[in-house]
Amino acid sequence: MKNIIFLAVQGAGKGTFAKKLKEKYHYAHISTGDILRERAAVEDELGTKIKNMIDNGIFVPNDIIYEAIEYKITQPECEKGYILDGFPRNLEQAKGYDEILNKLGKELGVVINLTIPNELLKQRIIGRRICRDCGAIYNIYNDEFKPKVDGVCDKCGGKLYQREDDNEEAMNTRVKTYFEVTEPIIDYYKEKGVLKTVDSSSNPETVFKEIEKILESDDVNN
Ligand SMILES: [Zn+2]
């Protein structure tokens, strides 16, 4: 299967689809934080270096992130394909990743840009309510996910609360930051002809089918 770089604003459902791809096609899910922690656990020179940085809260430089990525994508669990989540984070990293792939003779695969209309994102985030006792998640703007009784968990009767950063102002800031950082990467991959945009506003099954269609088609230049 094609490797995937997953780009999406928080709340667009990236986690849901990454999980489905993992379950159905055995993709490895790679996030930078996870692989750095994983690499830090290997008792060699690089592992020790990364561990020291993480333990001391030092920002891990790109060349070390690249080494960790290179290590990870050559492991057996990535043979069936992998999803990069949260990497590349900027244009410099996108170019660095190209160099890694060139060196390994691997293909980039496809970049899936998951989009969501702002109004719907707002509903998903601002309507979110969480049970204080069991952690069940509801949405007061969605009939399917609304609690039967306002403010009360269907499952355990616990009280529902809204997370502090699930408000419009915090959401707008997150969205703005996301686009500032991601726009150049989107343009970069668009020019390469590997970018596929998927609108995640329909129901998850439909969106997932669309993602599967992209993975099965050959019209993406590798
Ligand atoms: Zn509950």
Side-chain angles (χ1 to χ4, degrees), residues 1-2 4 21 24-25 27 110 112 208-220:
M1 294 290 275
K2 287 189 191 101
I4 302 169
L21 289 167
K24 188 160 177 189
Y25 298 107
Y27 271 97
V110 64
I112 295 178
F208 189 64
K209 276 200 188 108
E210 204 181 319
I211 292 174
E212 287 182 299
K213 222 163 70 193
I214 290 169
L215 298 176
E216 282 156 13
S217 79
D218 291 321
D219 68 340
V220 169

Side-chain angles (χ1 to χ4, degrees), residues 95-140:
K95 289 176 178 167
Y97 182 51
D98 279 346
E99 280 173 30
I100 297 170
L101 295 173
N102 281 341
K103 184 173 147 196
L104 299 173
K106 277 181 178 285
E107 287 170 349
L108 185 120
V110 64
V111 180
I112 295 178
N113 180 30
L114 204 60
T115 63
I116 177 167
N118 215 39
E119 272 311 300
L120 184 60
L121 185 64
K122 212 155 90 181
Q123 281 186 9
R124 280 193 192 171
I125 289 177
I126 295 162
R128 182 159 50 198
R129 298 290 181 274
I130 304 163
C131 174
R132 212 165 49 185
D133 295 332
C134 76
I137 297 168
Y138 297 88
N139 196 299
I140 57 166

Side-chain angles (χ1 to χ4, degrees), residues 6-172:
F6 228 149
L7 304 174
V9 68
Q10 191 192 348
K14 185 172 63 174
T16 310
F17 300 117
K19 193 167 162 241
K20 276 179 170 246
L21 289 167
K22 204 171 155 183
E23 283 164 5
K24 188 160 177 189
Y25 298 107
H26 307 287
Y27 271 97
H29 184 198
I30 305 178
S31 85
T32 316
D34 288 346
I35 58 166
L36 287 176
R37 275 187 293 274
E38 206 176 291
R39 192 61 188 81
V42 180
E43 288 173 354
D44 61 4
E45 203 184 327
L46 180 62
T48 310
K49 208 164 137 188
I50 296 173
K51 190 180 180 303
N52 282 332
M53 286 180 179
I54 294 174
D55 289 349
N56 293 301
I58 297 167
F59 183 74
V60 179
N62 276 345
D63 57 339
I64 289 183
I65 295 177
Y66 298 158
E67 270 190 72
I69 296 260
E70 184 178 331
Y71 176 83
K72 180 71 179 181
I73 64 177
T74 50
Q75 297 305 299
E77 70 258 33
C78 287
E79 258 167 38
K80 289 207 166 92
Y82 56 83
I83 304 162
L84 281 177
D85 182 356
F87 179 89
R89 199 171 281 288
N90 50 46
L91 197 54
E92 192 192 343
Q93 287 190 350
K95 289 176 178 167
Y97 182 51
D98 279 346
E99 280 173 30
I100 297 170
L101 295 173
N102 281 341
K103 184 173 147 196
L104 299 173
K106 277 181 178 285
E107 287 170 349
L108 185 120
V110 64
V111 180
I112 295 178
N113 180 30
L114 204 60
T115 63
I116 177 167
N118 215 39
E119 272 311 300
L120 184 60
L121 185 64
K122 212 155 90 181
Q123 281 186 9
R124 280 193 192 171
I125 289 177
I126 295 162
R128 182 159 50 198
R129 298 290 181 274
I130 304 163
C131 174
R132 212 165 49 185
D133 295 332
C134 76
I137 297 168
Y138 297 88
N139 196 299
I140 57 166
Y141 297 133
N142 185 321
D143 287 341
E144 206 182 321
F145 299 105
K146 218 160 64 176
K148 289 190 182 79
V149 180
D150 271 357
V152 179
C153 178
D154 292 352
K155 288 173 187 147
C156 76
K159 261 200 175 152
L160 304 183
Y161 75 98
Q162 182 174 24
R163 257 176 26 191
E164 214 176 300
D165 59 347
D166 283 350
N167 64 66
E168 191 163 351
E169 203 191 332
M171 184 199 97
N172 286 340

